[in-house]
Every structure is written in structure tokens, then in C-alpha cells.
Amino acid sequence: MQQGLPTDRDVSPFVPPARITELRETRPVSPLLFPDGHEGWLVTGYDAVRQVLADTRFSSRQDLGIVHVPFPTPGMPELTEPVPQEPGVFISMDPPDHTRLRRKLTGAFTVKRMKALEERVAEITEQRLDELAQLTPPVDLVREFALPVPSQVICELLGVPYEDRGSFEENSARFMERDITLEDKIAVYVALSTYLNGLVTSKRAEPADDLLSDLARDEDLSDAELTGMAFLLLLAGHETTANMLALGTFALLEHPDQLAELRSRPELIPDAVEELLRYLSVADVFFRYASQDVELHGETIREGSMVVLSLLGGNHDPERYDDAGVLDVHRNARGHLAFGHGVHQCLGQQLARIEMRAGFEGLLRRFPTLRLDVPARDVELKTMTSIYGVHALPVSWE
């Protein structure tokens, strides 16, 4: 039985932990012993992960029973009661509640509407690249480019004042940390929710031309639900893409042959984005809760069991991808699990793709001599947050 969840990418900063690879090869659906002594399951194979994500018998709700957290928060008391659902946070809901709230957003995130946003994303990206070019290297690519681009995009989409970004970026990053105390976690959540509730109230009173205003016109949504939806969209709308831009750049700089291919053939960038999403899997761990007994790849998952899904392990499964541990910008990586699968598949994935294509294309075009300014081993990795990435990426150019 696997003791605890192996999360440190100990082979390299990019590929799965050695233990995840071992488990996938020997028992892709493995018993897992949580730190509190409770038994659950760890799923590491591509087919098994995809099956769980598509099977509605594996619930996303945390109010069905006691959830045994694989990453204990300091100061967190032992859970003896189910965790209540937060209004509007539909990723922790099942149909029909999940369906009702998600449908409110599907019109905003259609491929057609995202394509219409493409020109504005390109403008924002070029503005940030202009500002980056004015700086004297070395610079931190996270602070100067990878974070500001998706932050400004999501602010404009939702109708969040961009001048407030400092507060919500700091609180969002803090909220994603695994090693803060429960008291601090609650304080950050309350701060973000209070801010967004005030914004929701103003949108109700004076709607503008933005997504939150569109939602605010819907009388079927309560203020609490709208606040929860805004919290989820703001958090997911910049954290994941920011980490992909920074970690993806790090990966390309560490694979100069792949970087050279993209510089000489920029038409490969859309495929490269899919490959980087697969290869890096920044949202690498998902959780589900068995609402009844389920047979999964020869194992019986009992009702009430918590199931931990390694999307990183699944995306590196050699049964699905040849030479899965190799970064290959020529690969057809579509079908990867980086955005999840099933009813909870990431709603904003098309916007994320647009931002990453613009970001990587612009960086490679504007900074052909971009390089790391420190040894790769000195790049500080985000190993104790819910989204994997780098805290900073010092870079230079000629």
C-alpha cells in the first residue's frame, strides 16, 4: 500500500515522481494510506484516470462524507463532519447543481467568443512584451510577464478593476498554498470573498459590459452563488495560465533542441502548447469521492472512499503516448488530461490556449536570445501549492 501521496517531481522538475511511475507500471489503481490512517485509492494510469473523471459515480462533492486530505494543513483539526459546499463553487458539485451553474457560463466561454477575444489577448501580450523589453536583464519572467498577461485578461473578461490585481494576486497565491495554517487559509478566503461580494453588489446595481455583469443580471443567481462563481473564475483564470507560461518557458529553455524548432517553425506553437500542457500538467492532482461501490480496472472502490487522481501520471502513461517522458513539440498530444475530462473539464480551456499561444509566440519572436540567468537547479519550484510551477524565473537576453 502506498504510504501518503508522492508529489515531489524527484526525477526532474517536469516529469512525474519516480514512485508515481512505478505504481502506474505495476498497479495503476493502488491502495493509498492517508496521513490520518484512512485508506483510499491513488489512480495513475491514463485510461483509469479518464474513466474516473467521466464516471458520475465518482463525486466531486465534499459534503457527502468525511474527506481525508492528502496534504494536511497545519493547525487543521481532525475532520469529523462533512465539509459543507460553498455556494457557486461548482467544481465541488455534481449534476444537477453543477449543470445549472455551469450552463450560466457556457455562452461566455464558447470557442467562437474566445476567438473574438484573441485580438485583445494579442494586444495585452504585446504591451507586456514592450514593457519587458524596456527592462534591464536579468528580470523575473513570472512577475514581469507570465503573471500579468493572464491577470489582465481575466480582469477585463470578468470586469474586475485591474488596479486591484495586487491584492487578489497575492491572496490567490496564498490560498493555493498547502502549508499555511487553517486560520490563514480562512482569512485569505474571507478577504477574497469579501472583495468579490462587494464587486458583485456593484455589478447588480450598475451592470457594465463584462462577464460578471452578465451574470449579475440573472435573477436566478443569488449574491452568494455569484460571489462563489467569481471566486472560482478569478482564481482559475490566472493561476493556471501564469504557471504554464513560466514553467513552459523554463521547460523550453531546458530543451534547447525543442526551443530551436519552435523558433524556426512558429507554426508548431499550437501543437507545442498541447504538448507542454501534457508534459507539465501543472494541475497535477484531482480528487473524487465514491458515491457507491465501483469496479475500476480490477479493483473494487468501496462507497465512501476518496480517490486521488494523478493527471501528471496519466499524461505520462506510455500506453497512451510513445516516449511519454520526452518533450516533443511535434507530438499530437490532444486527448491529454491537463484540463480534466468529463462534466468538469475546464470551462476556460480555449482562453488558456489563446493566452499560451500568444505568450510563447511573442516571447520567442521578441527575445530570440532568451536564457536562464541562474543554473536550472536554483530555480525555486512550487512544490507545496495546488498548482505546480515556479516562484520566479530569472532570465536574461542579449
Side-chain angles (χ1 to χ4, degrees):
M1 179 177 293
Q2 171 62 35
Q3 305 284 318
L5 185 60
T7 57
D8 289 344
R9 305 192 188 196
D10 47 13
V11 178
S12 89
F14 312 117
V15 303
R19 185 60 179 148
I20 291 288
T21 300
E22 292 170 10
L23 289 170
R24 188 187 58 228
E25 292 174 353
T26 58
R27 195 175 181 182
V29 181
S30 304
L32 175 66
L33 186 65
F34 291 98
D36 65 357
H38 177 77
E39 294 183 7
W41 294 88
L42 173 62
V43 183
T44 54
Y46 177 91
D47 288 341
V49 170
R50 188 177 170 93
Q51 181 178 333
V52 172
L53 290 172
D55 192 333
T56 56
R57 293 174 297 176
F58 291 101
S59 172
S60 296
R61 289 173 53 183
Q62 297 185 2
D63 63 332
L64 292 180
I66 309 302
V67 174
H68 298 263
V69 184
F71 310 104
T73 298
M76 187 171 184
E78 182 180 353
L79 295 175
T80 57
E81 297 293 335
V83 178
Q85 286 186 295
E86 291 294 337
V89 183
F90 55 88
I91 60 167
S92 60
M93 298 178 182
D94 295 335
D97 296 326
H98 169 270
T99 308
R100 168 182 161 263
L101 293 176
R102 184 171 170 120
R103 278 179 179 165
K104 305 287 185 183
L105 291 164
T106 50
F109 287 96
T110 60
V111 174
K112 182 178 180 181
R113 189 161 182 177
M114 290 302 101
K115 293 291 279 186
L117 269 176
E118 202 160 352
E119 184 176 340
R120 180 58 187 147
V121 171
E123 290 175 358
I124 291 171
T125 302
E126 287 301 314
Q127 289 168 4
R128 294 306 310 185
L129 289 167
D130 288 343
E131 294 175 25
L132 185 62
Q134 297 302 312
L135 300 176
T136 301
V139 302
D140 175 13
L141 197 71
V142 174
R143 184 177 67 245
E144 304 297 343
F145 181 73
L147 182 57
V149 168
S151 183
Q152 185 172 348
V153 170
I154 198 64
C155 280
E156 291 191 9
L157 180 64
L158 295 180
V160 175
Y162 189 54
E163 58 268 22
D164 294 344
R165 68 190 182 281
S167 175
F168 78 69
E169 285 174 358
E170 180 180 351
N171 282 326
S172 296
R174 189 80 171 130
F175 183 79
M176 302 298 281
E177 292 179 15
R178 293 174 182 157
D179 59 350
I180 64 172
T181 65
L182 180 62
E183 181 180 3
D184 287 344
K185 191 105 170 176
I186 291 173
V188 169
Y189 179 77
V190 169
L192 278 168
S193 296
T194 300
Y195 167 75
L196 290 170
N197 184 255
L199 193 62
V200 163
T201 301
S202 69
K203 299 292 184 185
R204 293 275 201 203
E206 296 182 33
D209 184 19
D210 55 64
L211 178 53
L212 281 186
S213 293
D214 291 346
L215 293 171
R217 294 184 180 95
D218 190 335
E219 295 181 358
D220 183 48
L221 288 172
S222 68
D223 284 359
E225 287 178 324
L226 188 48
T227 298
M229 293 170 78
F231 172 83
L232 182 59
L233 292 169
L234 187 63
L235 196 70
H238 75 278
E239 276 287 340
T240 49
T241 307
N243 282 287
M244 270 302 304
L245 285 171
L247 190 66
T249 302
F250 182 25
L252 289 172
L253 292 174
E254 285 297 285
H255 294 80
D257 58 330
Q258 301 299 297
L259 183 60
E261 277 288 280
L262 291 184
R263 283 187 171 135
S264 64
R265 297 183 59 193
E267 69 273 12
L268 291 174
I269 284 177
D271 283 340
V273 165
E274 301 303 318
E275 171 66 349
L276 286 166
L277 284 161
R278 178 202 72 85
Y279 185 68
L280 299 175
S281 301
V282 296
D284 56 352
V285 178
F286 280 18
F287 310 110
R288 291 294 185 267
Y289 186 88
S291 61
Q292 62 187 77
D293 289 359
V294 183
E295 293 296 318
L296 180 66
H297 284 245
E299 307 285 355
T300 301
I301 312 297
R302 297 297 181 191
E303 179 181 356
S305 297
M306 188 175 184
V307 180
V308 182
L309 308 174
S310 173
L311 272 63
L312 178 66
N315 277 334
H316 281 252
D317 190 340
E319 294 293 320
R320 177 63 177 82
Y321 297 104
D322 293 336
D323 296 321
V326 174
L327 177 65
D328 181 3
V329 298
H330 295 275
R331 186 195 305 274
N332 179 0
R334 285 166 178 77
H336 61 72
L337 302 168
F339 290 120
H341 180 61
V343 297
H344 285 282
Q345 191 171 41
C346 176
L347 193 59
Q349 61 181 286
Q350 298 304 334
L351 178 58
R353 286 184 169 102
I354 289 168
E355 292 176 90
M356 283 185 275
R357 290 169 186 169
F360 290 125
E361 187 279 329
L363 271 179
L364 299 187
R365 170 172 45 83
R366 296 286 297 273
F367 299 92
T369 59
L370 191 72
R371 66 179 185 276
L372 277 179
D373 193 65
V374 297
R377 64 179 179 275
D378 292 339
V379 175
E380 187 181 1
L381 301 167
K382 290 183 176 180
T383 58
M384 287 304 294
T385 65
S386 298
I387 305 294
Y388 187 71
V390 295
H391 288 285
L393 191 70
V395 295
S396 292
W397 56 87
E398 297 301 328

